[in-house]
């Protein structure tokens, strides 16, 4: 029991630095008050973290997983130190050419820091080996002795990812009690330096990276569990009909459906979250405690986790679920915009922002679960490709949402970044309602 608990904690904490980096960078640059400055730097970090799993797999093929984790941890900590130095230097400078050079240097460090984030999840998903028989078709869930298939492994790892995201948001919020703007980045560096060597030494020194990375990492509440749940449902359905021949529609129809419906909706979900990030940060700045922007993100993540556990008990018909999804998202976005722009009390503004963020996280997780499940039914012959395409669409939407909401917040005034939440919600509602007529 002690060994299992310790392994579970290690699985979660080893993921936190990857999810903490963009949040900590946003906090470090919050004193600038510029949504565009914050958004572009955070976007660079997110791009790096999205590419990190693939880079880690390629490196592990040559050097082995243990060496990649140890070397990557050292390099990541070094880049975080350089990033902190560049951020503090940028904050101390006046506007001018030197500040511009410092800023883009900082963006470069953010990209490299994201690229070297510990890809712990990749190596924890490695299939179990059995002597000289090579890699088996089944996998073991880390921390247990139970043989499970890839869908069960994905669900177990998704739960660890969701808890790690919630932990990262809580860590950011705790830095609102007297810590400096760069303290969260330093916390991430310390966590990496402590946890990653323990993880590396606990792994077998294998060069195998056969376990496919089916998900594109992004700090989106509910996304990991929604993907794993859809994969589980798809696997169960295939096992039931395996004797009846291949499943799924024609390749042309399924590809058309994937790119014309599912990917655009995923992109719109990313826009919603990007707008929510900037709105939450504006609420924290108005309150005088920028780190409290982690509270709305924690609320959204917690609501998504709880809902994806409860929704299995009762399922509405597809049409009603789609209509309800669009209605709730648009309504919550409008309330968030009104609260962010017109509510005079910063404390009430943060409280209402956290509540609306929880509602958005709740219903966005429902939408993600619907879309992933339907997309896998459509592209049943290309599961990994489907998850990859939709994961990148979600991440690209988040990057666009952060940048556009940051520009709007910077050019107009704080709070107007919530307008992108409304636009993203309207786009989702239009897309899903249009699909009901086909």
């Amino acid at each position: 029991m002690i060994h299992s608990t310790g392994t579970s904690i290690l699985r979660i904490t080893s993921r936190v630095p990857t999810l903490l980096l963009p949040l900590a960078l946003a906090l470090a640059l919050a004193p600038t008050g510029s949504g565009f400055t914050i958004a572009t730097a955070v976007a660079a970090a997110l791009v790096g973290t999205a590419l990190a799993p693939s880079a880690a797999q390629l490196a592990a093929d040559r050097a082995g997983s243990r060496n990649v984790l140890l070397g990557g941890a050292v390099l990541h900590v070094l880049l975080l130190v350089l990033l902190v130095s560049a951020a503090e230097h940028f904050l101390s400078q006046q506007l001018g050419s030197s500040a511009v050079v410092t800023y883009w240097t900082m963006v470069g460090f953010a990209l490299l820091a994201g690229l070297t984030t510990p890809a712990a999840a990749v190596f924890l998903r490695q299939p179990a080996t059995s002597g000289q028989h090579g890699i088996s078709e089944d996998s073991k869930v880390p921390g247990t002795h139970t043989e499970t298939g890839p869908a069960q492994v994905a669900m177990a790892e998704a739960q660890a990812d969701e808890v790690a995201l919630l932990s990262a948001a809580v860590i950011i919020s705790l830095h609102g009690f007297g810590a400096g703007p760069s303290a969260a980045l330093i916390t991430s560096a310390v966590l990496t330096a402590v946890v990653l060597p323990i993880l590396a030494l606990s792994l077998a020194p294998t060069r195998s990276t056969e376990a496919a990375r089916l998900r594109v990492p992004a700090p989106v509440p509910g996304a990991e569990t929604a993907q794993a749940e859809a994969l589980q449902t798809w696997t169960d359905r295939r096992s039931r009909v395996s004797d009846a021949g291949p499943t799924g529609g024609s390749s042309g129809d399924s590809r058309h459906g994937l790119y014309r419906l599912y990917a655009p909706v995923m992109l719109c979900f990313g826009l919603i979250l990007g707008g929510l990030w900037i709105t939450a940060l504006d609420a924290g700045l108005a309150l005088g405690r920028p780190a409290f922007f982690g509270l709305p993100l924690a609320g959204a993540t917690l609501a998504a986790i709880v809902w994806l556990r409860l929704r299995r008990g009762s399922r509405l018909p597809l049409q009603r679920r789609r209509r309800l999804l669009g209605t709730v998202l648009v309504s919550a976005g409008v309330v968030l915009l009104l609260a962010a722009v017109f509510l005079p009390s910063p404390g009430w503004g943060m409280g209402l922002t956290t509540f609306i963020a929880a509602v958005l996280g709740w219903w966005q997780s429902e939408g993600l679960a619907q879309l992933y499940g339907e997309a896998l039914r459509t592209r049943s012959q290309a599961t990994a490709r489907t998850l990859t395409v939709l994961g990148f669409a979600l991440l690209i939407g988040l990057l666009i949402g952060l940048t556009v909401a940051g520009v709007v917040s910077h050019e107009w005034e704080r709070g107007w970044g919530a307008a992108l939440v409304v636009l993203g919600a309207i786009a989702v509602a239009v897309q899903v309602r249009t699909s009901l007529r086909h």
Side-chain angles (χ1 to χ4, degrees), residues 45-71:
L46 286 172
V47 170
T49 57
L51 299 176
S54 298
Q57 286 183 357
L58 292 174
D61 284 336
R62 294 179 176 272
S65 56
R66 177 179 293 179
N67 293 331
V68 169
L69 282 174
L70 288 174

Side-chain angles (χ1 to χ4, degrees), residues 245-328:
T247 60
S250 65
S251 177
D253 293 340
S254 60
R255 185 178 296 110
H256 175 80
L258 176 64
Y259 291 103
R260 292 292 300 272
L261 172 62
Y262 302 114
V265 175
M266 287 294 179
L267 189 144
C268 293
F269 279 137
L271 294 179
I272 293 173
L273 185 64
L276 178 62
W277 267 47
I278 298 299
T279 305
L281 187 58
D282 286 345
L285 289 170
L287 190 61
R289 293 184 181 271
F292 281 3
F293 90 98
L295 292 175
L297 302 183
T301 304
L302 182 60
I305 293 174
V306 172
W307 175 245
L308 287 172
R309 301 300 182 276
L310 298 179
R311 68 185 295 271
R312 300 177 185 179
S314 61
R315 295 179 182 273
L316 294 174
L318 177 61
Q319 293 189 1
R320 291 186 61 185
R321 278 188 287 149
R322 284 188 171 184
R323 292 193 179 98
L324 186 59
L325 171 67
T327 301
V328 172

Side-chain angles (χ1 to χ4, degrees), residues 198-256:
I198 299 176
L199 176 65
L201 295 176
S202 67
L203 289 177
T206 176
R207 295 177 182 269
S208 172
T209 55
E210 296 291 333
R213 173 63 176 175
L214 296 180
R215 300 192 298 261
V216 178
V220 180
E224 300 286 349
T225 301
Q227 292 181 54
E229 183 183 271
L231 182 59
Q232 174 70 69
T233 303
W234 175 81
T235 303
D236 292 343
R237 186 177 66 253
R238 280 183 62 87
S239 64
R240 289 194 300 268
V241 300
S242 58
D243 295 334
T247 60
S250 65
S251 177
D253 293 340
S254 60
R255 185 178 296 110
H256 175 80

Side-chain angles (χ1 to χ4, degrees), residues 60-112:
D61 284 336
R62 294 179 176 272
S65 56
R66 177 179 293 179
N67 293 331
V68 169
L69 282 174
L70 288 174
V74 173
L75 187 58
H76 183 63
V77 170
L78 175 60
L79 285 167
L80 285 178
V81 172
L82 294 174
L83 183 58
V84 168
S85 177
E88 293 182 348
H89 190 52
F90 175 74
L91 292 176
S92 66
Q93 287 181 321
Q94 302 295 323
L95 294 178
S97 58
S98 58
V100 173
V101 173
T102 303
Y103 173 72
W104 288 111
T105 301
M106 180 181 60
V107 170
F109 284 147
L111 177 63
L112 293 175

